[in-house]
Amino acid sequence: MMPDLNYIKLSDLNRQIEEIITQNFGGRMFWVVGDVTNHTHKHEKNYHYFDFVEKDPYSNGIIAKISASAWGIGSEKIYNFETVTGQKFTNNINVLLLVSVQFHSIYGFKLNVIDIDANFTLGVLEQQRQATLSRLVAENPGFIQKAGDQYYTKNNRLNHKIVIQRIALITSQTSAGGEDFRHTLDSNPHGYKFQIDDYFTVVQGENNAELLVAKIIEVFNSQIPYDAVVIIRGGGAQTDFLLFDDYNVGRAVARFPIPIITGIGHQKNETITDLMAHSPTKTPTKAAEFIIAHNKQFEENLLLFQKNIVIKSQQFFSYYFQKLASLNSLIVNNSRNIIAHNKDGLVEINQITINTSKSIIFNRRSELTAMASQLASKPKIIVYNRLADIKNIAENIKTFNAQYLKNQRSYLGHYVSLINLMSPKNILKKGFAIIKVNNEIISNPDGIKVGNEIDIILAETQITSTVKDKTTYNGNDFNV
């Protein structure tokens, strides 16, 4: 038999616990700070279930945990919180909740959410953001400075190229914002063309900041001369943008040597990346519109410059046309005045010239007559003398030509005798011979080898022989 035990039913125990909790916590509410984990939202009933935890600030380990839920007024407060902060009520956010303590015999111990302080969450995020900005300025004075509320970085001091066409786009591969950006550029009403190179990465979640920094470095290492780098993502909750408040991301953007345009999709305020970048815009579409407007401004400036050139040219031509017309009238009038003024003088000079010419011709008439007589007689004398000279020259040529031909015949006879003496026929009669190798006359003994067949041609005989020996000969037999 089992011994008698003093026990109670579980429901009785739970009732006692409920009474104690109700006596001590009933009607009381507490503002409690903690982190949300294991969150679940039942959309059809608008119920929230989650674990409310406290983490060790040094190890990030959980040191306290309790179940919590929100419905009715609590769910409405959470919805208002999301509207005000832009932050989705989800895991891993630090919040300040107004809660009541409840115990149910079936569902156990839990906290019931009455309210949530949006300002607390915004304050925590802003404190973190301001601390990061202060660190950026303090640790990077070479390329980040602050003057008043304005941040001046190496990147936002750069000048955009006059036309932006080649773009490095950093975004998520599945980002709708990337599609919006491309569509806006491709469908621009001005027909501008763009070359866009994609650098895909994760663009949400503060734990992915290193991936974004690596992608920025990849753009730099490509050494491609981009006109601009564009960083975009679509809208989302506040925590989705926390990686754009990361220290390393802000530092990489601030020192980047190519102008960076942002279109992060955060409507309420600027991220640290926006503050460090050259040209922050609110959305991917706005980023594309900024680029189109930039190029349009260049086109308008160019057209205005063209218009000014045309106007200035017309003004220039009109001014100098009037000057030329005035100068032409002045020349015509002055010419007429000069001609009228000197007309009498010209008539007098013309009369003097005529009279003087007549007088000179009259005075020179006798001289001209004598000269004409000489010109008529002298050519006949000259021609007669030259004919006599030519006749003498012809006689001399006949005489010297016969003597010259006689002398040349003697020279030719002498040369014929020499040629006959030097002919091969006479040479061979003197005992000399001609040697042929392979039917070719050879004079260089180096071309004759032992064993060669040679032809020896004498005055009246040809001998064919084979070379059996070859020695050097000093030529003493011909010494005189």
Side-chain angles (χ1 to χ4, degrees):
M1 294 180 60
M2 294 183 59
D4 292 336
L5 296 176
N6 185 17
Y7 65 89
I8 62 174
K9 293 187 290 186
L10 178 60
S11 59
D12 292 334
L13 177 61
N14 283 352
R15 191 180 304 105
Q16 291 181 33
I17 295 173
E18 184 178 3
E19 289 175 357
I20 292 172
I21 291 176
T22 301
Q23 289 173 4
N24 289 276
F25 295 96
R28 298 177 64 187
M29 292 180 290
F30 304 88
W31 284 103
V32 184
V33 174
D35 292 344
V36 177
T37 63
N38 298 323
H39 173 261
T40 301
H41 182 213
K42 302 295 184 181
H43 293 277
E44 64 278 4
K45 294 183 178 181
N46 198 21
Y47 284 4
H48 294 267
Y49 301 97
F50 59 95
D51 288 336
F52 201 40
V53 302
E54 180 181 351
K55 296 181 180 180
D56 188 327
Y58 302 102
S59 66
N60 210 35
I62 296 176
I63 58 177
K65 181 173 74 171
I66 189 170
S67 298
S69 63
W71 65 86
I73 187 67
S75 293
E76 292 181 7
K77 294 293 184 179
I78 288 176
Y79 174 77
N80 292 336
F81 167 84
E82 292 178 333
T83 303
V84 171
T85 63
Q87 166 65 59
K88 189 173 179 62
F89 188 85
T90 186
N91 294 324
N92 300 318
I93 62 170
N94 187 254
V95 291
L96 176 60
L97 300 178
L98 179 63
V99 299
S100 62
V101 180
Q102 295 181 347
F103 183 84
H104 191 276
S105 60
I106 297 177
Y107 302 112
F109 184 73
K110 66 178 179 178
L111 300 178
N112 181 36
V113 177
I114 308 300
D115 198 357
I116 180 171
D117 190 340
N119 292 325
F120 172 83
T121 299
L122 292 174
V124 170
L125 293 175
E126 184 60 25
Q127 287 175 7
Q128 295 172 350
R129 181 172 176 271
Q130 291 301 324
T132 301
L133 285 170
S134 298
R135 181 186 171 195
L136 283 168
V137 174
E139 296 181 2
N140 305 280
F143 52 88
I144 304 176
Q145 297 89 36
K146 183 180 181 183
D149 294 331
Q150 185 69 36
Y151 290 89
Y152 296 94
T153 69
K154 177 182 177 181
N155 191 262
N156 64 30
R157 286 193 179 99
L158 299 172
N159 292 321
H160 274 304
K161 291 187 177 179
I162 56 176
V163 175
I164 299 174
Q165 285 186 299
R166 189 162 195 184
I167 300 167
L169 177 62
I170 300 178
T171 187
S172 168
Q173 189 166 6
T174 59
S175 171
E179 293 300 321
D180 292 342
F181 176 80
R182 283 181 173 277
H183 175 73
T184 303
L185 288 184
D186 292 341
S187 60
N188 74 87
H190 312 294
Y192 301 149
K193 301 299 181 183
F194 300 91
Q195 180 178 345
I196 304 172
D197 294 340
D198 292 312
Y199 291 83
F200 293 125
T201 186
V202 179
V203 289
Q204 67 179 25
E206 58 184 320
N207 295 329
N208 295 314
E210 291 184 2
L211 298 178
L212 179 56
V213 172
K215 198 57 62 172
I216 294 173
I217 294 173
E218 182 181 336
V219 175
F220 176 79
N221 290 337
S222 73
Q223 297 298 307
I224 297 174
Y226 290 110
D227 300 326
V229 177
V230 179
I231 302 176
I232 61 174
R233 62 148 291 147
Q238 182 84 0
T239 52
D240 291 341
F241 298 93
L242 291 180
L243 98 150
F244 295 106
D245 285 332
D246 181 81
Y247 172 85
N248 290 322
V249 173
R251 185 174 184 271
V253 170
R255 67 186 301 184
F256 203 74
I258 300 173
I260 292 179
I261 302 168
T262 60
I264 297 175
H266 192 199
Q267 295 282 1
K268 292 185 176 297
N269 52 39
E270 291 180 306
T271 66
I272 290 176
T273 298
D274 291 322
L275 294 174
M276 299 296 109
H278 188 284
S279 304
T281 64
K282 289 297 184 183
T283 65
T285 300
K286 292 293 184 183
E289 291 173 349
F290 171 84
I291 294 173
I292 294 169
H294 175 82
N295 291 356
K296 179 61 176 174
Q297 184 63 50
F298 168 74
E299 182 182 11
E300 290 177 349
N301 290 341
L302 197 62
L303 293 175
L304 179 60
F305 184 65
Q306 180 189 37
K307 182 179 179 180
N308 288 337
I309 289 176
V310 172
I311 293 173
K312 291 294 184 182
S313 299
Q314 291 174 343
Q315 292 175 345
F316 181 84
F317 288 139
S318 176
Y319 172 76
Y320 282 100
F321 181 78
Q322 293 175 0
K323 293 274 288 185
L324 288 172
S326 176
L327 182 61
N328 180 62
S329 298
L330 182 62
I331 291 172
V332 170
N333 293 331
N334 287 343
S335 299
R336 288 173 178 172
N337 292 335
I338 291 171
I339 291 171
H341 177 73
N342 295 289
K343 183 178 181 181
D344 295 338
L346 290 172
V347 171
E348 182 179 353
I349 291 172
N350 180 59
Q351 189 62 45
I352 292 172
T353 301
I354 293 171
N355 294 333
T356 303
S357 300
K358 290 179 178 180
S359 175
I360 291 172
I361 291 171
F362 179 79
N363 293 332
R364 299 296 181 183
R365 182 178 294 173
S366 58
E367 295 178 4
L368 289 173
T369 302
M371 186 178 294
S373 178
Q374 291 180 0
L375 288 174
S377 60
K378 279 189 176 182
K380 294 180 180 179
I381 298 172
I382 292 171
V383 170
Y384 177 80
N385 292 335
R386 292 293 179 264
L387 287 173
D389 292 340
I390 291 170
K391 185 177 180 181
N392 291 332
I393 292 171
E395 292 296 329
N396 291 334
I397 288 174
K398 289 179 181 179
T399 302
F400 288 113
N401 184 48
Q403 185 64 39
Y404 176 79
L405 290 175
K406 182 178 179 181
N407 292 338
Q408 293 303 314
R409 287 192 189 99
S410 298
Y411 292 148
L412 287 174
H414 174 70
Y415 289 138
V416 167
S417 298
L418 290 176
I419 290 170
N420 288 332
L421 288 174
M422 297 300 295
S423 69
K425 183 177 179 181
N426 289 328
I427 294 295
L428 292 176
K429 286 180 179 181
K430 292 179 181 180
F432 293 96
I434 296 173
I435 298 174
K436 286 186 176 182
V437 177
N438 296 328
N439 293 322
E440 290 184 3
I441 296 174
I442 187 165
S443 61
N444 187 356
D446 293 338
I448 302 174
K449 307 295 181 182
V450 174
N452 283 359
E453 185 178 275
I454 62 175
D455 295 323
I456 303 172
I457 301 173
L458 300 174
E460 296 178 352
T461 305
Q462 177 172 327
I463 301 171
T464 298
S465 177
T466 300
V467 178
K468 293 183 179 182
D469 190 19
K470 179 181 176 182
T471 58
T472 303
Y473 175 64
N474 56 18
N476 291 335
D477 291 348
F478 296 98
N479 291 338
V480 179

